């Protein structure tokens, strides 16, 4: 597929692409390293060979779900209820490792485990956790997370238009949710709505396939994260019993707690996305010949490659420290926001340099780098845009809120 210099024999073997330049893996506990290797093997053997086909078809590889289940990662970072457990560092490393091969697969996993399951874990009652988490941990029920709306994105904290109205013992939900990952096919939605009685944001568990008034339209014509299926959810007089109302999540605080954790996860994904782009690019630069030499031997190409690995390494060190803070229960919203903003911005730079090094081939999906290039755009915007992260950070460092 690639135009390689098979006619030229290098003097000595070239180093294989290695995106762990500061040997971060060496610092990991042995058990976590073993899990990471298991995830790498899954991603390289099962996902990498088929992912471009699904990307082109704009569809989700359901054929991977049994192997996903076998990985035993459902509920990673959560204790009990059939969840995998494990440290915050491990959770981050798994997100990074998945994104190193494909950001869509990392996102599918992050939405199901990080957003949907974590919402129930953080904001659900004991009964709700007992009921919903075990089948989700076994990948028998897949979840999604509905916060964003067609007219309300960054301003979700104060301005949700989807309403929840308590009528006797029943909650009635009306509104729309846009961009919701997994929603066109999954089983359970966590829907965030504004209680008309007190304007507080409340979370609800909705069973997609059996709830009257709940419908999903697949969002078409995306040019990034194409393997993740995003939907426009419509809730029309959806009636839910109190058991489906997340019992602890009666304030925005719990929603924000979920978002802090998932922003932490996106920072790791953005690091993994750069690693994948760097490795593909370095290999290409070692093999692609122009003027009779590998393009990797040109000074200007080495400058780009050096800047790519520097970005990767800086992001790895940064997210590793956020992992330590998270494991100590000390990670703040602002620290998670800094990690998400910095890594996603660096990711955008790194993948663009990679695409550039591929020349024309960089825009062909067959060479993979284009997938990382487009997916980096979503990393910058979802789970709170770059600007929103810097507003959170700006408030923390100045003590002054710039939120309108
Ligand atoms: C592929 C994909 C998957 C997604 N998955 C999910 C999901 O599963 N669940 C879910 O709930 N949502 C999901 N989202 C939605 C995502 O979280 C939102 O797109 C994001 O929060 C931004 O909202 P918005 O698109 O409405 O942009 P807007 O809020 O309209 O922002 C537009 C621009 O204005 C800027 N801006 C807004 N307010 C300010 C301000 N006060 N100061 C400075 N700049 C500002 C923003 O930074 C941005 O650049 C997904 C989005 C995508 C693209």
């Amino acid at each position: 597929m690639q135009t390689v210099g098979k006619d030229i024999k290098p003097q000595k073997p070239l180093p294989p692409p290695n995106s762990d330049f500061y040997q971060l893996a060496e610092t990991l506990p042995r058990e976590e390293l073993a899990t990471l290797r298991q995830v790498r093997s899954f991603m390289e053997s099962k996902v990498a060979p088929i992912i471009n086909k699904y990307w082109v078809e704009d569809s989700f590889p359901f054929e991977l779900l049994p192997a996903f289940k076998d990985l035993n990662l459902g509920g990673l970072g959560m204790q009990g209820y059939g969840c995998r457990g494990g440290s915050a560092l491990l959770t981050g490393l798994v997100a990074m490792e998945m994104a190193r091969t494909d950001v869509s697969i990392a996102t599918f996993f992050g939405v199901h485990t990080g957003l949907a399951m974590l919402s129930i874990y953080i904001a659900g009652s004991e009964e709700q956790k007992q009921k919903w988490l075990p089948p989700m941990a076994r990948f028998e029920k897949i979840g999604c997370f509905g916060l964003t709306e067609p007219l309300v994105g960054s301003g979700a904290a104060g301005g949700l238009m989807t309403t929840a109205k308590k009528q006797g013992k029943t909650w009635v939900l009306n509104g729309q949710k846009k961009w919701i990952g997994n929603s066109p096919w999954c089983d359970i939605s966590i829907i965030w709505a504004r209680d008309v009685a007190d304007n507080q944001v409340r979370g609800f568990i909705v069973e997609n396939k059996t709830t009257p008034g709940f419908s999903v339209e697949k969002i078409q014509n995306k040019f990034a994260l194409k393997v993740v299926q995003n939907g426009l959810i419509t809730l029309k007089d959806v009636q839910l019993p109190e058991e489906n109302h997340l019992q602890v999540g009666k304030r925005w605080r719990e929603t924000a707690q979920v978002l802090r954790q998932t922003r932490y996860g996106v920072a790791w994904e953005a690091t993994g996305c750069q690693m994948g782009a760097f490795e593909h690019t370095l290999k290409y630069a070692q093999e692609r010949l122009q003027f009779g030499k590998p393009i990797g031997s040109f000074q200007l190409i080495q400058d780009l490659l050096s800047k790519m690995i520097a970005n990767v390494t800086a992001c790895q060190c940064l997210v590793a420290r956020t992992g330590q803070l998270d494991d100590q229960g000390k990670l703040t919203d602002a620290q998670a926001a800094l990690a998400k903003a910095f890594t996603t911005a660096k990711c955008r730079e790194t993948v663009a340099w990679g695409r550039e090094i591929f020349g024309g081939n960089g825009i062909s999906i067959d060479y993979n780098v284009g997938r990382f290039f487009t997916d980096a755009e979503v990393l910058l915007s979802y789970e709170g845009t770059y600007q929103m992260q810097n507003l959170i950070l700006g408030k923390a460092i100045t003590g002054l809120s710039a939120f309108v």
Side-chain angles (χ1 to χ4, degrees), residues 339-403:
K340 203 245 171 198
F342 182 82
T343 54
T344 55
K346 291 290 142 192
C347 181
R348 215 181 188 192
E349 268 179 13
T350 306
V351 298
W353 288 326
R355 199 225 57 75
E356 193 177 333
I357 289 175
F358 272 82
N361 289 334
I363 64 126
S364 163
I365 191 66
D366 295 339
Y367 289 81
N368 295 298
V369 77
R371 190 160 40 81
F372 293 100
F373 177 78
T374 55
D375 289 351
E377 290 302 302
V378 180
L379 292 169
L380 192 88
S381 294
Y382 74 1
E383 315 258 347
T385 64
Y386 180 77
Q387 285 75 18
M388 297 317 288
Q389 306 307 326
N390 279 348
L391 288 177
I392 295 169
L393 180 57
K395 183 179 169 190
I397 56 176
T398 63
L400 304 167
S401 174
F403 284 101

Side-chain angles (χ1 to χ4, degrees), residues 73-92:
L73 290 176
L76 187 64
M78 289 165 255
Q79 315 296 327
Y81 315 101
C83 295
R84 165 66 191 258
S87 65
L89 181 64
L90 180 64
T91 310

Side-chain angles (χ1 to χ4, degrees), residues 266-394:
V266 174
W268 284 92
E269 284 176 18
T271 305
C273 178
Q274 297 176 70
M275 288 165 66
F278 171 75
E279 290 181 28
H280 283 290
T281 306
L282 177 54
K283 187 162 189 301
Y284 187 81
Q286 288 170 328
E287 295 175 344
R288 172 76 174 178
L289 301 182
Q290 286 303 313
F291 302 96
K293 291 178 177 172
I295 60 170
S297 69
F298 300 141
Q299 291 180 352
L300 295 177
I301 296 290
Q302 287 195 7
D303 176 58
L304 292 177
L305 289 167
S306 297
K307 289 193 289 197
M308 287 176 81
I309 191 63
N311 272 357
V312 168
T313 307
C315 290
Q316 285 169 336
C317 293
L318 185 146
V319 289
R321 176 61 185 149
T322 61
Q324 291 171 341
L325 287 169
D326 204 10
D327 276 325
Q328 292 163 7
K330 294 200 295 203
L331 186 72
T332 64
D333 286 345
Q335 287 166 337
L338 185 155
K340 203 245 171 198
F342 182 82
T343 54
T344 55
K346 291 290 142 192
C347 181
R348 215 181 188 192
E349 268 179 13
T350 306
V351 298
W353 288 326
R355 199 225 57 75
E356 193 177 333
I357 289 175
F358 272 82
N361 289 334
I363 64 126
S364 163
I365 191 66
D366 295 339
Y367 289 81
N368 295 298
V369 77
R371 190 160 40 81
F372 293 100
F373 177 78
T374 55
D375 289 351
E377 290 302 302
V378 180
L379 292 169
L380 192 88
S381 294
Y382 74 1
E383 315 258 347
T385 64
Y386 180 77
Q387 285 75 18
M388 297 317 288
Q389 306 307 326
N390 279 348
L391 288 177
I392 295 169
L393 180 57

Side-chain angles (χ1 to χ4, degrees), residues 52-268:
N52 286 341
K53 170 181 163 296
Y54 283 97
W55 193 93
V56 170
E57 289 172 359
D58 208 352
S59 62
F60 184 81
F62 292 104
E63 63 178 281
L64 289 176
L65 284 180
F68 238 110
K69 195 174 163 179
D70 293 344
L71 266 182
N72 187 28
L73 290 176
L76 187 64
M78 289 165 255
Q79 315 296 327
Y81 315 101
C83 295
R84 165 66 191 258
S87 65
L89 181 64
L90 180 64
T91 310
L93 287 162
V94 165
M96 181 178 84
E97 194 54 55
M98 287 183 177
R100 173 181 164 272
T101 296
D102 184 58
V103 181
S104 285
I105 295 299
T107 300
F108 151 72
F109 182 73
V111 168
H112 171 61
T113 287
L115 284 167
M117 289 184 72
L118 197 63
S119 295
I120 298 173
Y121 189 74
I122 287 178
S125 65
E126 184 57 29
E127 294 74 40
Q128 289 172 328
K129 291 185 215 178
Q130 296 279 3
K131 176 175 177 185
W132 301 100
L133 292 178
M136 293 177 85
R138 292 192 299 269
F139 285 88
E140 287 163 15
K141 298 268 181 209
I142 302 295
C144 71
F145 178 93
L147 178 65
T148 308
E149 302 181 350
L151 299 179
V152 184
S154 302
L160 287 186
M161 295 172 79
T162 298
T163 54
K165 190 173 182 187
K166 189 88 184 270
Q167 290 181 340
K169 291 185 171 166
T170 304
W171 286 95
V172 181
L173 268 58
N174 278 290
Q176 283 193 312
K177 296 286 168 186
K178 191 173 179 187
W179 288 117
I180 311 308
N182 301 345
S183 66
W185 59 273
C186 76
D187 307 285
I188 295 164
S189 296
I190 306 299
I191 297 291
W192 300 92
R194 185 174 51 80
D195 185 347
V196 292
D198 60 7
N199 272 340
Q200 293 296 335
V201 173
R202 297 177 186 275
F204 297 88
I205 305 169
V206 184
E207 292 187 75
N208 297 15
K209 292 166 184 167
T210 53
T211 306
F214 181 96
S215 59
V216 189
E217 195 184 316
K218 178 181 160 174
I219 295 177
Q220 307 284 355
N221 305 329
K222 290 190 302 169
F223 73 81
L225 222 62
K226 280 163 67 77
V227 175
V228 175
Q229 305 296 289
N230 293 90
L232 174 67
I233 294 177
T234 300
L235 303 123
K236 194 166 181 337
D237 293 327
V238 165
Q239 299 196 14
L240 298 171
E242 178 62 22
E243 298 95 86
N244 288 41
H245 170 214
L246 288 175
Q247 292 299 308
V248 186
K250 293 179 180 162
R251 298 275 183 278
W252 177 255
R253 198 180 52 222
E254 282 75 25
T255 325
Q257 208 180 330
V258 175
L259 291 175
R260 183 203 310 146
Q261 285 311 119
T262 55
R263 283 166 185 169
Y264 164 83
V266 174
W268 284 92

